[in-house]
């Protein structure tokens, strides 16, 4: 039997352990292979020195170590399990959501759908192949204005 594979990406300053508690895919969908990946220290607008863990979320950051990490993770899963290549999903919160959008742009042929939250990426919509998306946004988000996220959802 083949299984779906879902990867989840924490926000900047987060950890894989926090993502396990936040997303809980392994409990909600136990038949799927759930992977909670740990980012490396990464500079960001609020953390220019890169003291906290996160994800590279721009195509210009090439070679993108985090896209390569995703590729290696998926290849490992395919060696160890029977992964249904038509049911590979990605989700992420905040900076992890930005990385999820980057995966859509860079690995859109691999992903069946994405579900980012609390992010307004700087990617050009033309780089994104049509695919199912669940974008979660809060009107009172203190870091990412709802209006910017709404523009992303409309695009």
């Amino acid at each position: 039997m083949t299984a779906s594979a879902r990867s989840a990406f924490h926000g900047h300053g987060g950890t894989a352990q926090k993502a396990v508690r936040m997303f809980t895919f392994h409990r909600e969908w136990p038949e799927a292979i759930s992977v909670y990946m740990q980012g490396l220290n990464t500079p960001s607008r609020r953390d220019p020195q890169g003291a906290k863990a996160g994800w590279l979320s721009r195509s210009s950051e090439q070679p993108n170590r985090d896209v390569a990490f995703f590729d290696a993770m998926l290849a490992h899963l395919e060696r160890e399990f029977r992964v249904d290549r038509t049911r590979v999903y990605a989700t992420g919160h905040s900076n992890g959501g930005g990385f999820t959008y980057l995966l859509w742009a860079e690995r859109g042929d691999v992903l069946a759908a994405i579900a980012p939250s609390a992010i307004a990426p700087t990617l050009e919509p033309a780089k994104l192949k049509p695919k199912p998306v669940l974008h979660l946004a809060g009107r009172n988000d203190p870091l990412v204005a709802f209006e910017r996220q709404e523009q992303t959802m409309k695009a």
Side-chain angles (χ1 to χ4, degrees):
M1 183 166 114
T2 60
S4 297
R6 174 175 292 274
S7 52
F9 304 97
H10 60 77
H12 190 82
T15 65
Q17 292 80 11
K18 287 181 184 178
V20 168
R21 291 191 301 272
M22 181 174 132
F23 292 115
T24 70
F25 295 124
H26 58 288
R27 285 197 305 248
E28 303 299 327
W29 193 5
E31 303 83 14
I33 302 165
S34 298
V35 179
Y36 303 91
M37 298 171 69
Q38 176 62 52
L40 299 175
N41 288 8
T42 305
S44 74
R45 193 180 55 186
R46 289 191 161 80
D47 177 19
Q49 301 304 315
K52 296 179 181 178
W55 306 97
L56 299 173
S57 57
R58 290 185 183 82
S59 295
S60 62
E61 297 166 318
Q62 295 295 335
N64 191 305
R65 66 168 196 229
D66 297 334
V67 172
F69 183 34
F70 172 83
D71 292 344
M73 176 274 306
L74 186 56
H76 174 77
L77 291 180
E78 289 176 325
R79 284 191 305 274
E80 299 295 320
F81 304 98
R82 293 186 52 164
V83 174
D84 182 345
R85 287 291 295 212
T86 66
R87 295 174 29 190
V88 176
Y89 307 96
T91 190
H93 177 73
S94 191
N95 170 250
F99 182 59
T100 301
Y101 270 106
L102 179 64
L103 284 176
W104 181 7
E106 300 291 325
R107 298 296 184 266
D109 56 331
V110 173
L111 297 172
I114 66 165
S117 63
I119 190 65
T122 58
L123 295 171
E124 296 177 35
K127 290 192 78 172
L128 306 175
K129 298 174 186 172
K131 97 174 32 276
V133 177
L134 172 64
H135 181 112
L136 303 172
R139 292 191 184 278
N140 297 322
D141 188 322
L143 298 178
V144 185
F146 181 78
E147 293 75 25
R148 288 186 52 227
Q149 294 188 68
E150 194 171 39
Q151 290 171 349
T152 296
M153 290 182 269
K154 287 178 182 176

